[in-house]
Amino acid sequence: MAQVLVVTSGKGGVGKTTSTAALGAALAHDGEKVVVIDFDVGLRNLDLVMGAERRVVFDLINVIHGVAKLHQALIRDKRLENLCLLPASQTRDKDALTEEGVAAVIAELRTKFDWIICDSPAGIERGATLAMRHADAAIIVTNPEVSSVRDSDRIIGLLDSKTAKAERGERVEKHLLITRYHSSRAARGEMLSIDDVLEILSTPLLGIIPESEEVLRASNIGSPVTLCNALSAPARAYFDAARRLKGDKVPMIVPSDNRGIFNKLFGRKAA
Amino acid sequence: MSLFNLFRRGTAPIARERLQILLAHERVARSQPDLLGILREEILAVISRHVAFEPDKVQIKMDRGKSVSTLEVDIEIPNGVTLTLAKAS
């Protein structure tokens, strides 16, 4: 049974696209059939982060308008054959995404993949609400910082009211993914701690991704961080999060940013 | 200011407190319009079974006070037609 996930946040720049690529690649690496969809019409970037920007021929809007068949628009990853990308269009037309069109594409993808991961645009407008529309579960990406936490709270409200599941009286399963976390700064009281964020948003934690130069390095070369350097701290945290999505019980490790013996000892476990 | 900086223990607790207060307010504000919408619909359904009135001449307002909140329902009923009982169908 296919799972439709939306990766969302409200606020921009918190790591939705990075997380979509990293989790999609991690799930595919573990043998799952995965498609990642870019919903950011007009400002697509998932293709770039995945390193497929030169292979885009058709896109989501072309499929919705019947210009291309779904299989023509899907781009197969060169590293993992069971990972596909459905890119967004660069059109400026905001109404290019239609409710029925998105429903039809998601329904068709459900027959072909185990995981359908929708990368939401920032904001709470049409693109964002359509990205979450058919989700079975949501990953709310949050930075431990006031504006991001506030916007996440708003998005949680939308997930509980504007999704197809919510309208049927069901609940969209929600997972919190805290990104760009500095454990040392949180320990010094300079940054909201994991417990602070969890208490405020009262949403179950999917993972903690540490702030890391590896994330920028990965996007520079066009590779999900989980494929670029699978042993790096953020990659290990994403692999753990992907296994939790599959229902595995993986102990939550608060990633340390001290490069000491502790890091090595605890780091091993997560690999 | 310098004294404050000297004893500063980190700003995260301030962030946490500000968020808790702000979100408590925003969550109430979010749930309010829905509650009012539902109340409006159901109150009007009950009244329209007995009295004829124009739906856009109805005002429903909620005031949240510290100890007591009030729900104000203001329905303008035209003279003459006022209390004609609508026929039960």
Side-chain angles (χ1 to χ4, degrees):
Chain A
M1 179 82 178
Q3 273 276 315
V4 179
L5 297 176
V6 60
V7 179
T8 184
S9 68
K11 190 175 183 299
V14 296
K16 284 182 295 296
T17 302
T18 300
S19 299
T20 302
L23 289 171
L27 284 166
H29 185 269
D30 287 353
E32 306 280 313
K33 281 190 277 180
V34 182
V35 60
V36 290
I37 315 179
D38 194 343
F39 271 83
D40 205 343
V41 171
L43 288 170
R44 74 166 173 232
N45 274 320
L46 187 56
D47 55 332
L48 197 52
V49 169
M50 302 273 296
E53 69 278 10
R54 292 167 55 155
R55 299 170 62 209
V56 176
V57 182
F58 296 113
D59 57 51
L60 175 61
I61 303 294
N62 295 147
V63 178
I64 286 177
H65 288 173
V67 175
K69 293 262 186 262
L70 184 58
H71 70 87
Q72 293 176 294
L74 287 173
I75 302 171
R76 195 174 292 281
D77 190 87
K78 288 205 163 158
R79 296 148 296 212
L80 294 168
E81 63 161 18
N82 47 338
L83 175 62
C84 282
L85 161 71
L86 183 54
S89 141
Q90 284 291 55
T91 171
R92 288 205 207 167
D93 180 8
K94 273 190 179 173
D95 298 323
L97 276 183
T98 62
E99 167 116 31
E100 306 74 44
V102 171
V105 169
I106 298 275
E108 192 176 347
L109 289 170
R110 274 185 192 271
T111 66
K112 295 176 162 46
F113 293 92
D114 302 318
W115 298 87
I116 298 149
I117 310 181
C118 306
D119 183 19
S120 172
I124 52 172
E125 301 302 322
R126 190 182 178 79
T129 49
L130 278 176
M132 68 170 66
R133 183 81 198 145
H134 301 282
D136 300 310
I139 296 171
I140 300 132
V141 183
T142 306
N143 293 165
E145 173 272 325
V146 286
S147 53
S148 173
V149 173
R150 179 200 208 172
D151 291 357
S152 293
D153 191 69
R154 185 83 194 275
I155 283 291
I156 289 168
L158 290 181
L159 287 165
D160 287 336
S161 60
K162 301 279 185 202
T163 51
K165 256 195 154 180
E167 285 172 8
R168 291 197 301 264
E170 298 166 36
R171 287 186 76 82
V172 171
E173 201 182 313
K174 294 184 289 286
H175 305 280
L176 194 67
L177 186 67
I178 298 179
T179 56
R180 313 200 70 162
Y181 189 67
H182 292 260
S183 58
S184 58
R185 297 190 71 187
R188 290 197 298 270
E190 296 171 8
M191 178 180 260
L192 288 168
S193 70
I194 299 296
D195 288 342
D196 288 340
V197 179
L198 291 181
E199 192 193 326
I200 293 167
L201 294 177
S202 35
T203 299
L205 184 61
L206 178 70
I208 308 160
I209 314 298
E211 171 75 62
S212 166
E213 58 200 26
E214 288 297 329
V215 172
L216 180 60
R217 230 171 66 82
S219 79
N220 282 346
I221 63 169
S223 167
V225 70
T226 40
L227 299 184
C228 170
N229 182 356
L231 294 177
S232 64
R236 288 195 313 250
Y238 277 121
F239 270 110
D240 282 357
R243 284 162 56 199
R244 289 184 197 109
L245 279 175
K246 291 200 295 177
D248 295 359
K249 293 245 180 298
V250 184
M252 190 67 69
I253 293 161
V254 179
S256 157
D257 39 29
N258 310 320
R259 294 186 178 273
I261 184 147
F262 259 56
N263 198 19
K264 283 179 187 156
L265 279 175
F266 288 113
R268 278 284 150 72
K269 277 188 198 165
Chain B
M1 193 62 182
S2 58
L3 197 68
F4 177 68
N5 278 336
L6 198 66
F7 292 104
R8 197 170 60 157
R9 303 284 299 268
T11 47
I14 303 173
R16 176 196 156 99
E17 201 189 323
R18 288 175 62 222
L19 271 171
Q20 279 170 331
I21 294 168
L22 175 72
L23 293 184
H25 278 92
E26 287 189 344
R27 284 169 189 160
V28 169
R30 270 209 305 265
S31 60
Q32 220 170 359
D34 270 331
L35 173 63
L36 263 190
I38 293 164
L39 282 175
R40 185 190 164 92
E41 221 168 87
E42 294 188 4
I43 289 171
L44 291 194
V46 170
I47 296 177
S48 65
R49 285 212 289 268
H50 304 287
V51 185
F53 62 90
E54 282 184 47
D56 44 342
K57 296 279 172 69
V58 177
Q59 287 193 349
I60 296 184
K61 218 165 78 180
M62 185 178 267
D63 269 320
R64 285 181 190 267
K66 265 184 190 156
S67 50
V68 185
S69 296
T70 58
L71 178 69
E72 198 181 307
V73 183
D74 187 343
I75 304 177
E76 197 181 305
I77 300 172
N79 283 334
V81 241
T82 350
L83 290 172
T84 45
L85 283 175
K87 278 184 187 164
S89 51

